């Protein structure tokens, strides 16, 4: 899982959001109960203006980690 997250970060750093998205989607398949992966996925969807998918990912992550401040803030921003 960490390898896919690292790969996603590398792609995001290179502004290759579509490739980052693929890496994070694979990470979610492997670890669907990891809120950090859902957060990474949400941020990447937002970067490519897929707001509905970003909010759905944030909602999933927020449901897994009610004490994750960044994820909760991101999810709350979906309602503004």
């Amino acid at each position: 899982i960490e390898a896919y997250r690292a790969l996603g970060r590398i792609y995001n750093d290179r502004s290759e959001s579509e490739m980052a998205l693929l890496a994070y989607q694979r990470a979610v398949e492997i670890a669907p109960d990891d809120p950090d992966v859902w957060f990474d996925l949400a941020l990447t969807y937002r970067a490519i203006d897929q707001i509905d998918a970003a909010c759905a990912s944030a909602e999933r992550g927020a449901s897994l980690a009610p004490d994750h401040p960044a994820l909760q803030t991101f999810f709350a921003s979906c309602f503004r």
Side-chain angles (χ1 to χ4, degrees), residues 10-58:
I10 290 167
Y11 282 129
N12 273 331
D13 289 346
R14 294 176 160 183
S15 298
E16 296 179 38
S17 297
E18 293 290 341
M19 294 301 294
L21 186 62
L22 292 174
Y24 291 133
Q25 286 170 334
R26 182 67 182 123
V28 162
E29 290 173 11
I30 295 168
D33 294 329
D34 185 332
D36 291 321
V37 175
W38 287 102
F39 185 51
D40 294 336
L41 188 60
L43 292 172
T44 303
Y45 274 127
R46 184 176 65 186
I48 58 174
D49 294 322
Q50 292 188 19
I51 304 306
D52 289 342
C55 289
S57 297

Side-chain angles (χ1 to χ4, degrees), residues 33-36 39 58-75:
D33 294 329
D34 185 332
D36 291 321
F39 185 51
E59 180 178 21
R60 174 72 172 131
S63 72
L64 294 168
D67 59 342
H68 190 299
L71 189 49
Q72 293 296 330
T73 300
F74 185 102
F75 180 54

